[in-house]
Amino acid sequence: DIVMTQTPLSSPVTLGQPASFSCRSSQGLVHSDGNTYLSWLHQRPGQPPRLLIYKISNRFSGVPDRFSGSGAGTDFTLKISRVEAEDVGVYYCMQAAQFPYIFGQGTKVEIK
Amino acid sequence: EVQLVQSGAEVKKPGESLKISCKGSGYDFTNYWIGWMRQMPGKGLEWMGIIYPGDSDTRNSPSFQGQVTISADKSISTAYLQWSSLKASDTAMYYCARRARLGELSLRAFDVWGQGTMVTVSS
């Protein structure tokens, strides 16, 4: 199985400042159809996760443009250009290039 | 409105059986894969498996193979996750989620999530 490693596991952030989180896969995530199926989700405490980014860099409907995704191969990054209070919670990356799909351990974001 | 509504919280004893549900509405349930995820208390998300309600094609995570059964009844737009003999270690929140599509193209990401079903297994 592919292993997904997120860093850091915890990230204190400052309101209004940028933040970035890393996700590394143990092997490439390019599917046979040529697409790279790496997505990012955000989970606030007590709520189900919600989709932020799909296929590395595509913002899902309704996601603020302060969120952006990038990367290729085995290294991927989620960036928040200016952190807002509602951005607290845990961010997960997920690979869906092959079964079984695998989530990273999550990065917990708290406001300093 | 597109939504997935899951069945309510359950409290069971070890060895008991259980079937929880996930009902879709507001979209063509038959043509979207539905995944199941586990989240143990205070822990991260784990992918358990996925089913295509149109033909019940199912893919299971090796970590959960033989431990749970994923099924679906397309006639009532409902997917299920069931256990034949629960263990205390099955105590967790379980989420169903829809695998997103853009037209005919799968995005292979989960765009609509159920509210979660908390399963507590305790003697």
Side-chain angles (χ1 to χ4, degrees):
Chain A
D1 293 355
I2 295 174
V3 177
M4 304 296 289
T5 303
Q6 289 186 242
T7 55
L9 295 182
S10 179
S11 178
V13 298
T14 302
L15 290 175
Q17 294 300 304
S20 68
F21 319 117
S22 172
C23 175
R24 179 167 292 178
S25 58
S26 59
Q27 54 187 274
L29 302 182
V30 180
H31 190 267
S32 56
D33 65 9
N35 290 299
T36 300
Y37 293 108
L38 185 284
S39 59
W40 290 92
L41 303 102
H42 175 217
Q43 185 177 32
R44 297 188 180 105
Q47 295 187 16
R50 68 169 182 134
L51 180 62
L52 296 176
I53 301 284
Y54 63 92
K55 290 201 295 181
I56 303 178
S57 59
N58 296 271
R59 260 191 312 277
F60 185 60
S61 174
V63 175
D65 61 7
R66 65 179 183 274
F67 290 94
S68 64
S70 63
T74 60
D75 287 291
F76 306 94
T77 301
L78 176 70
K79 292 182 180 176
I80 309 175
S81 59
R82 292 174 307 280
V83 173
E84 297 189 6
E86 65 183 19
D87 298 338
V88 298
V90 182
Y91 291 82
Y92 296 95
C93 60
M94 187 193 83
Q95 77 80 18
Q98 61 179 255
F99 293 116
Y101 296 173
I102 301 290
F103 291 93
Q105 325 93 298
T107 292
K108 186 174 183 179
V109 171
E110 298 168 317
I111 303 298
K112 279 183 188 173
Chain B
E1 180 193 2
V2 174
Q3 58 180 350
L4 295 172
V5 178
Q6 297 185 230
S7 49
E10 301 275 1
V11 180
K12 292 288 193 179
K13 291 181 168 37
E16 292 186 331
S17 62
L18 175 64
K19 192 174 189 177
I20 62 175
S21 66
C22 168
K23 183 173 177 60
S25 62
Y27 74 100
D28 183 0
F29 185 81
T30 302
N31 286 328
Y32 286 77
W33 290 80
I34 294 288
W36 284 97
M37 272 60 67
R38 181 177 80 174
Q39 188 167 41
M40 300 175 79
K43 302 298 183 183
L45 298 166
E46 299 173 90
W47 186 82
M48 302 176 73
I50 197 168
I51 187 165
Y52 187 72
D55 60 7
S56 290
D57 185 10
T58 306
R59 311 295 168 88
N60 296 292
S61 168
S63 299
F64 293 92
Q65 185 79 42
Q67 309 304 308
V68 294
T69 301
I70 294 172
S71 61
D73 184 342
K74 63 182 180 182
S75 69
I76 55 171
S77 301
T78 302
Y80 301 98
L81 181 65
Q82 69 180 94
W83 296 258
S84 59
S85 180
L86 287 160
K87 309 181 190 68
S89 57
D90 293 318
T91 294
M93 180 72 82
Y94 293 87
Y95 292 103
C96 65
R98 185 184 81 164
R99 197 175 81 171
R101 277 172 47 179
L102 195 61
E104 291 302 311
L105 299 176
S106 172
L107 302 184
R108 289 184 169 236
F110 292 112
D111 65 342
V112 179
W113 289 69
Q115 82 277 19
T117 296
M118 184 67 208
V119 174
T120 303
V121 184
S122 174
S123 54

